[in-house]
């Protein structure tokens, strides 16, 4: 059973993602954009340690410039891509026996991005403190796999009649 609050739901998404996403069904669009932008803000923060490390090692590109580029990419470009991807998945799902409504597609994608944000923070800390190597590869793989599993389970939970 899902608990109220964002943090308990994010944690629960790692072991029961379909149930959590199903419990969020019907979330209004204004709340969905808050979920997406919160995830993007956390992703931006997660990039800071790696950019700080890179700026120290390669000072020809200062930290401000690196974070400015990341801000543009994460806070402006990624939301547009997320909306486009959610629309594409919804449209393609109509070709299958398990159609996903556009709003449900957005919910599954945006929630997966928010649910994986703690893993992205860990990957960002690893990038900043350890740098390139096996540890960074593992943390990024966990974040990527977690995203795919949570997104897929959310889509499955919301497909068809739900």
């Amino acid at each position: 059973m899902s608990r109220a609050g964002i943090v308990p739901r994010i944690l629960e998404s790692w072991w029961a993602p379909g149930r959590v996403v199903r419990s969020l069904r019907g979330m209004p669009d204004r709340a969905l954009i808050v979920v997406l932008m919160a995830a993007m803000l956390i992703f931006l923060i997660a990039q800071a340690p790696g950019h700080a490390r890179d700026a120290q090692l390669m000072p020809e590109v200062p930290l401000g410039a690196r974070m400015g580029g990341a801000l543009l990419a994460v806070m402006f470009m990624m939301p547009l891509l997320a909306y486009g991807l959610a629309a594409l998945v919804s449209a393609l799902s109509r070709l299958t026996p398990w159609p996903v409504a556009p709003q449900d597609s957005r919910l599954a994608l945006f929630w997966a991005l928010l649910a994986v944000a703690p893993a992205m923070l860990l990957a960002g800390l690893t990038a900043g403190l350890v740098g390139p190597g096996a540890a960074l590869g593992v943390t990024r793989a966990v974040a990527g796999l977690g995203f795919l599993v949570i997104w897929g389970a959310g889509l499955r939970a919301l497909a068809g009649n739900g």
Side-chain angles (χ1 to χ4, degrees):
M1 109 181 13
S2 282
R3 298 178 203 120
I6 294 294
V7 174
R9 285 183 173 147
I10 287 172
L11 295 174
E12 187 178 349
S13 292
W14 282 86
W15 67 83
R19 180 174 58 207
V20 172
V21 173
R22 201 176 309 110
S23 75
L24 297 171
R25 181 179 239 170
M27 184 183 289
D29 279 326
R30 65 184 180 275
L32 285 176
I33 196 154
V34 170
V35 167
L36 175 63
M37 296 311 288
M40 294 298 100
L41 180 61
I42 294 169
F43 283 25
L44 179 66
I45 293 166
Q47 291 182 22
H51 286 309
R53 178 187 179 90
D54 291 343
Q56 284 294 316
L57 297 174
M58 296 174 279
E60 56 273 4
V61 181
L63 178 60
R66 292 172 190 273
M67 288 306 295
L71 175 71
L72 177 66
V74 174
M75 297 305 290
F76 297 103
M77 300 301 290
M78 286 298 296
L80 295 174
L81 291 173
Y83 269 94
L85 179 59
L88 179 64
V89 167
S90 176
L92 291 176
S93 74
R94 292 187 191 121
L95 302 174
T96 72
W98 310 280
V100 178
Q103 183 164 359
D104 289 342
S105 182
R106 289 191 296 274
L107 171 60
L109 177 60
F110 298 175
W111 183 259
L113 289 168
L114 185 61
V116 80
M120 292 297 293
L121 287 170
L122 178 61
L125 282 175
T126 305
L129 297 174
V130 179
L136 182 57
V138 168
T139 56
R140 286 181 174 169
V142 166
L145 186 59
F147 167 74
L148 291 174
V149 168
I150 294 167
W151 184 29
L155 287 172
R156 186 173 55 248
L158 299 174
N161 295 329

